[in-house]
Amino acid sequence: PSHDRPTVLTFAPASTLINTTSATFNLVFSQSVTGIDSTDFIAAGTGASTCIIGATTGSGTNYSISVSSCSEGTVYLTITANVGTNGSSQTGPTNNTNSTTLTIDLTAPTISSITGPTNANYTPTQQLNFTVIFSESVTITNTPRIQLTLGSAIRYASLVSMSDSKTAVFRYTVTADQSEADLNGI
């Protein structure tokens, strides 16, 4: 048996950014401990006032603590000092210990603006760029498109790049199709 008190090696949420009110925090001790339960934890942060600390699962050195009903904002857990007991009846951690912070973002991003190409006559093979600015950082998956009405034709501008985490550029290449003739704009 170790003569050292148990310490916290890592204490972090399973993900640092979520869009749900429930999360799991993972806690790893330096040695096997017993006596850990949900009453050993306190939730704090701007989104923690409504958090419910649920079941604590695990044993030995690894534990998981679930939280639910949290509000949008930041949440972290604090484990109270001296709640885990090792095989030598020593307790730890010796001080209250905070987890790393979780951010709960329940507000979906919106499109702040779309800027299209300048008003002009475009010929086949010319590229029309549309810049989309989002209200917050986004991660785009798959291949999104913007629907365009050109004359009597429905066309699509496809994503070509992200200049930063909030700005996307979509592009359409003009064709020779006469149904695209559009005198009043896109």
Side-chain angles (χ1 to χ4, degrees):
S2 173
H3 296 292
D4 296 323
R5 289 175 166 256
T7 60
V8 172
L9 294 179
T10 61
F11 190 15
S15 175
T16 57
L17 175 65
I18 60 171
N19 63 353
T20 178
T21 61
S22 300
T24 300
F25 286 77
N26 296 314
L27 172 63
V28 179
F29 284 95
S30 60
Q31 54 190 273
S32 186
V33 295
T34 59
I36 304 298
D37 66 42
S38 61
T39 61
D40 300 327
F41 300 93
I42 301 165
T46 61
S49 64
T50 58
C51 284
I52 298 169
I53 299 173
T56 299
T57 59
S59 62
T61 58
N62 297 300
Y63 291 85
S64 294
I65 305 92
S66 65
V67 294
S68 62
S69 302
C70 299
S71 300
E72 187 167 59
T74 58
V75 174
Y76 64 91
L77 293 181
T78 301
I79 185 170
T80 309
N82 299 312
V83 293
T85 305
N86 68 11
S88 299
S89 299
Q90 295 170 314
T91 59
T94 55
N95 296 306
N96 287 358
T97 304
N98 295 338
S99 70
T100 55
T101 301
L102 164 71
T103 300
I104 299 173
D105 183 357
L106 301 174
T107 305
T110 59
I111 294 175
S112 300
S113 67
I114 298 178
T115 305
T118 59
N119 189 13
N121 290 321
Y122 294 96
T123 58
T125 72
Q126 283 188 293
Q127 295 179 331
L128 308 179
N129 287 339
F130 300 85
T131 302
V132 177
I133 309 284
F134 294 94
S135 60
E136 62 183 81
S137 292
V138 297
T139 300
I140 296 180
T141 58
N142 300 322
T143 309
R145 305 179 304 173
I146 297 175
Q147 182 176 314
L148 309 172
T149 303
L150 300 173
S152 62
I154 300 296
R155 300 291 189 253
Y156 296 92
S158 296
L159 176 70
V160 290
S161 67
M162 293 284 296
S163 59
D164 60 42
S165 64
K166 294 172 67 173
T167 308
V169 176
F170 291 78
R171 180 172 294 147
Y172 176 73
T173 302
V174 177
T175 70
D177 186 338
Q178 290 301 311
S179 67
E180 286 186 4
D182 194 345
L183 301 177
N184 67 351
I186 299 170

